[in-house]
């Protein structure tokens, strides 16, 4: 389990979205994925972990986490919940180490998903919404796609060249 905040940009102000996920080590199945304005709140990460346990009805034998400040509560919950299973020492149910899976996740899963959603937003929402008449501008009001495709109907000229 690990978080990724590279989308957040410089000093976490540019694009305030952080990702936290859990991937099964053997199968590389994505168990859960959360996006929020932070991925460093230990209470939030702990809650997401408990939500996963509740939804899946499966208790992992071992979890692997980095030593980030957000993993302490999750690691404590893991050890506490495993203590009554009797098959492994509770302290051995948490393994600390670096996680590279989140980078792979972003590269191969998350970025294409976000791009697909952005394309859908551009095509079905932004370019089809009506722009109201605005004061102090000579730009036309109407639907962006229509204005773009029929500029002469709005007193505009076609400035692009067909390739």
């Amino acid at each position: 389990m690990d978080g990724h905040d590279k989308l957040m940009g410089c000093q976490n102000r540019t694009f305030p979205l952080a990702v936290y996920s859990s991937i099964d080590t053997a199968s590389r199945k994505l168990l859960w994925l959360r996006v929020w304005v932070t991925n460093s709140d230990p209470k939030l990460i702990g809650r997401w972990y408990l939500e996963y346990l509740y939804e899946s009805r499966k208790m992992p034998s071992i979890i692997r986490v980095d030593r980030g400040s957000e993993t302490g509560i999750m690691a404590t919950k893991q050890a506490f919940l495993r203590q009554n299973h009797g098959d492994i020492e509770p302290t051995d149910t948490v393994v600390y180490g670096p996680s590279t899976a989140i980078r792979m996740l972003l590269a191969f899963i998350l970025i294409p998903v976000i791009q697909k959603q952005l394309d859908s937003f551009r095509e079905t929402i932004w370019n089809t919404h009506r722009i109201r008449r605005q004061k102090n501008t000579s730009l036309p009001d109407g639907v962006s796609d229509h204005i773009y495709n029929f500029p002469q109907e709005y007193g505009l000229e076609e400035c692009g060249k067909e390739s």
Side-chain angles (χ1 to χ4, degrees):
M1 286 177 249
D2 199 7
H4 190 77
D5 54 11
K6 300 302 184 268
L7 292 174
M8 296 184 83
C10 180
Q11 297 179 347
N12 297 340
R13 291 189 179 110
T14 308
F15 190 63
L17 292 179
V19 177
Y20 211 90
S21 70
S22 176
I23 299 174
D24 177 69
T25 303
S27 67
R28 275 123 24 241
K29 178 180 177 167
L30 182 60
L31 302 175
W32 56 273
L33 177 68
R34 298 287 192 271
V35 62
W36 194 242
V37 295
T38 181
N39 65 0
S40 59
D41 180 348
K43 291 178 185 174
L44 183 65
I45 305 305
R47 187 184 87 207
W48 289 341
Y49 180 57
L50 287 179
E51 286 173 358
Y52 163 73
L53 296 177
Y54 180 78
E55 291 168 8
S56 71
R57 301 285 194 224
K58 291 186 179 182
M59 181 73 208
S61 297
I62 298 171
I63 63 170
R64 179 184 178 101
V65 295
D66 63 16
R67 291 196 180 269
S69 61
E70 79 281 4
T71 61
I73 289 177
M74 182 172 44
T76 301
K77 288 177 181 183
Q78 168 72 10
F80 176 78
L81 293 171
R82 287 296 302 182
Q83 72 182 347
N84 294 324
H85 287 256
D87 58 340
I88 189 170
E89 284 295 315
T91 55
D92 294 335
T93 65
V94 179
V95 175
Y96 291 96
S99 172
T100 57
I102 190 71
R103 289 187 192 106
M104 185 173 68
L105 170 73
L106 285 173
F108 296 108
I109 298 173
L110 189 57
I111 291 173
V113 168
I114 290 173
Q115 186 61 57
K116 184 176 180 179
Q117 292 299 310
L118 289 172
D119 291 343
S120 177
F121 171 80
R122 176 181 49 86
E123 294 168 9
T124 62
I125 297 174
W126 185 260
N127 288 339
T128 60
H129 86 285
R130 176 165 290 286
I131 299 172
R132 295 180 291 150
R133 183 173 310 276
Q134 298 178 15
K135 296 178 186 177
N136 304 321
T137 182
S138 59
L139 297 174
D141 58 295
V143 176
S144 297
D145 267 346
H146 196 263
I147 296 169
Y148 183 84
N149 290 316
F150 303 100
Q152 63 283 359
E153 291 184 23
Y154 298 88
L156 302 172
E157 293 180 26
E158 172 64 55
C159 293
K161 304 245 188 239
E162 299 253 347
S163 48

